[in-house]
Amino acid sequence: MNLRIRTILCLLGNGALVAGLGFWGTALAQIRPETVSSGLENPWGVAFLPSGRFLVTERPGRLRLIGADGKIGAPITGLPAIAAGGQGGLLDALVDSGFEKNRTLYFCFSEPAANGSSNSTALARAQLSEDGTKLENLKIIFSQQPKVASRNHFGCRIVESRDSTLFLTLGDRFSRKEDAQKLDNHLGKIVRIAKDGTVPADNPFVGKAGALPEVWSYGHRNGQGATLAPDGRLWMIEHGPQGGDEINISQAGRNYGWPVITYGENYGGGKIGDGITAKEGMEQPLHYWVPSIAPSGMAFLTSERYGAGWKGNLFVGSLKFGYLDRIELKDGKVVAEHKLLADGRARIRDVKQGPDGWLYVLTDESDGKLLRLRSN
C-alpha cells in the first residue's frame, strides 16, 4: 500500500478530519466540521439568506435567523398554530429564489385541526420583515388531506423546481399506509403546486376522476429528504419500516410501491403485505439500505470546494447511526458510500450546499448545531 493511501486510511477515524478514496482510488478532500451555531433545540431545516445569514427551524415551533457570525436571533414571530409533538412541529424551510426582491419564504409544519384532535402537513408562504423579526402576509397555500390523529410520518421537505413550482413530500402518517396507493388523498405522496397554491395545468392527474390534482407521485412512505439533481430532476429519500430506506427519482405520475412492495419488514419482524419487492407498474428504488439508516436531508454537491472528486456526489444524513453519507454515482447508479462525521455520532437531520459552495449540516439534538464542513 503506498504512503498516500495509507495516510488517508489513518485519517478516516480521526474526529477532526474525515477523508475518503474516490471511485477510481484517487485521494479526495479532508474535511473538518466547524460550528457555526449551537444551542438550537432539535433543528430540522436550514435555508440560506443574503449576506451569509441562515434561516433555521426548530421542531418545537420556532423559526430562527442566524447571523453570518453565528449569533442566534430571537424567535421570529407570526407563525401559525403548530401541532408540535412526536415527529411533528415546525419542519422544513425554503427561501424563494427571488428573495432579494420579494422577501418571500416557505415553510412546512404539522397543522392542527380546529378541534385539536388530528393534524396534517401544511405548507405556508410569508414574507420576512425588513428587520428579520416577524413574518408578514402569511398564507397557507397547501394543507394535506385528510387530517389524521397521528404524531408520525409528516414528510415535509420542500423543493423549488426550475420552473418555479414547489414540490412537497408527504408521509403516510404511519397508521394509514394503504392510502399511499390511493389517489383520492394526499397521504404517502409528493405534491406539486404553484407558489400561490394553485395546481399547475401539466400535473399528471389533472382532470383524472377520483384523483387529487396536486399529486405528482405516489406510493411513498415518509420522505425526509428531497433535492433537485444537476439535471433538474427531483430526487428524494424515504424511510422504510425495519429496513428498506430508499433513494428514488420522483417522476410525474409514477407509483413507488409502498406498502405493496418494500425491502423492509414490520417492526419486530414479519412481512409487510405479501412480502414482495417488485411488481409490474411500480418503480424500483435507485438504491436502498438494509438495515435502515433513517436518512434525512439530501443534497448534491455542485461546487469544487472539496476537489473535483466530490463534485456531483450525493450527500445524505443518517439519524439512526449519526453520520453523513457521501454517495458516489456513476451512470445513474450508486457505486460507493463513505461515512463522514461518524465519530460524532450526532443525528444528522439536514444537509445542504450553501451559496458559498460549502456543505452545511444540522444535528437533531436538544443542543443541536449548525455545522459548516471545511476542507483542509
Side-chain angles (χ1 to χ4, degrees):
M1 183 184 297
N2 69 45
L3 179 61
R4 183 175 66 174
I5 293 177
R6 185 164 60 247
T7 301
I8 292 170
L9 291 176
C10 289
L11 288 170
L12 280 170
N14 188 298
L17 299 176
V18 186
L21 299 179
F23 182 61
W24 303 112
T26 57
L28 298 177
Q30 299 170 12
I31 64 170
R32 55 181 175 83
E34 172 186 86
T35 299
V36 177
S37 288
S38 59
L40 295 161
E41 185 176 1
N42 299 107
W44 212 94
V46 59
F48 304 96
L49 293 168
S51 304
R53 297 171 300 161
F54 309 87
L55 196 68
V56 173
T57 62
E58 293 177 301
R59 195 173 70 238
R62 291 181 293 273
L63 183 62
R64 303 275 194 179
L65 194 155
I66 298 177
D69 59 359
K71 183 178 179 180
I72 302 173
I76 295 171
T77 63
L79 289 170
I82 295 173
Q87 297 172 1
L90 182 59
L91 303 176
D92 205 14
L94 174 74
V95 171
D96 188 85
S97 57
F99 180 87
E100 292 196 57
K101 292 182 178 180
N102 60 30
R103 302 194 63 81
T104 297
L105 55 88
Y106 309 91
F107 58 92
C108 57
F109 63 103
S110 48
E111 178 186 49
N115 61 10
S117 64
S118 58
N119 51 55
S120 66
T121 300
L123 177 62
R125 184 188 71 207
Q127 290 174 305
L128 184 65
S129 64
E130 288 286 346
D131 62 5
T133 63
K134 61 183 177 180
L135 298 180
E136 300 171 333
N137 303 316
L138 176 74
K139 181 182 179 182
I140 307 299
I141 60 173
F142 174 81
S143 185
Q144 181 188 35
Q145 298 299 324
K147 283 183 162 48
V148 178
S150 173
R151 291 155 54 94
N152 300 314
H153 292 197
F154 291 91
C156 211
R157 289 294 181 189
I158 318 164
V159 174
E160 181 179 352
S161 68
R162 289 181 176 176
D163 64 8
S164 293
T165 57
L166 300 175
F167 292 108
L168 176 66
T169 68
L170 300 169
D172 67 356
R173 307 309 315 281
F174 188 76
S175 60
R176 299 285 291 271
K177 63 180 183 293
E178 290 78 12
D179 282 331
Q181 286 296 312
K182 301 172 184 176
L183 293 171
D184 62 353
N185 66 81
H186 296 130
L187 307 182
K189 311 295 192 298
I190 293 177
V191 294
R192 174 176 176 252
I193 60 172
K195 290 179 178 178
D196 62 359
T198 58
V199 177
D202 59 347
N203 267 11
F205 298 108
V206 168
K208 181 175 180 178
L212 295 180
E214 300 88 0
V215 174
W216 173 259
S217 61
Y218 65 110
H220 300 291
R221 186 171 183 265
N222 189 25
Q224 293 282 284
T227 191
L228 290 187
D231 64 5
R233 290 186 297 174
L234 179 68
W235 286 46
M236 59 90 70
I237 47 175
E238 54 187 299
H239 287 200
Q242 187 169 277
D245 299 340
E246 297 180 356
I247 299 176
N248 284 303
I249 302 175
S250 174
Q251 300 181 71
R254 300 289 181 89
N255 180 355
Y256 290 81
W258 175 255
V260 178
I261 61 173
T262 177
Y263 288 88
E265 61 181 13
N266 280 312
Y267 295 107
K271 65 183 181 181
I272 293 172
D274 293 332
I276 60 175
T277 57
K279 188 173 182 178
E280 185 177 357
M282 297 182 178
E283 303 299 312
Q284 282 291 299
L286 176 80
H287 182 68
Y288 64 90
W289 290 274
V290 176
S292 292
I293 68 166
S296 187
M298 186 181 204
F300 277 95
L301 183 69
T302 59
S303 79
E304 293 191 3
R305 282 287 199 181
Y306 307 92
W310 282 30
K311 187 175 181 179
N313 284 186
L314 181 66
F315 292 81
V316 171
S318 168
L319 293 166
K320 182 177 180 181
F321 296 115
Y323 64 82
L324 181 64
D325 195 10
R326 179 173 71 83
I327 301 171
E328 294 188 72
L329 303 162
K330 188 173 187 294
D331 299 328
K333 296 181 179 179
V334 173
V335 295
E337 296 181 70
H338 308 266
K339 297 179 181 179
L340 309 180
L341 309 180
D343 281 3
R345 298 290 295 178
R347 289 164 53 86
I348 304 296
R349 174 59 74 179
D350 199 13
V351 53
K352 287 193 173 75
Q353 178 181 299
D356 56 9
W358 296 117
L359 290 169
Y360 291 81
V361 300
L362 286 178
T363 65
D364 184 7
E365 312 285 344
S366 57
D367 179 16
K369 295 178 174 61
L370 172 62
L371 303 175
R372 179 188 294 117
L373 305 187
R374 294 282 196 180
S375 176
N376 287 351

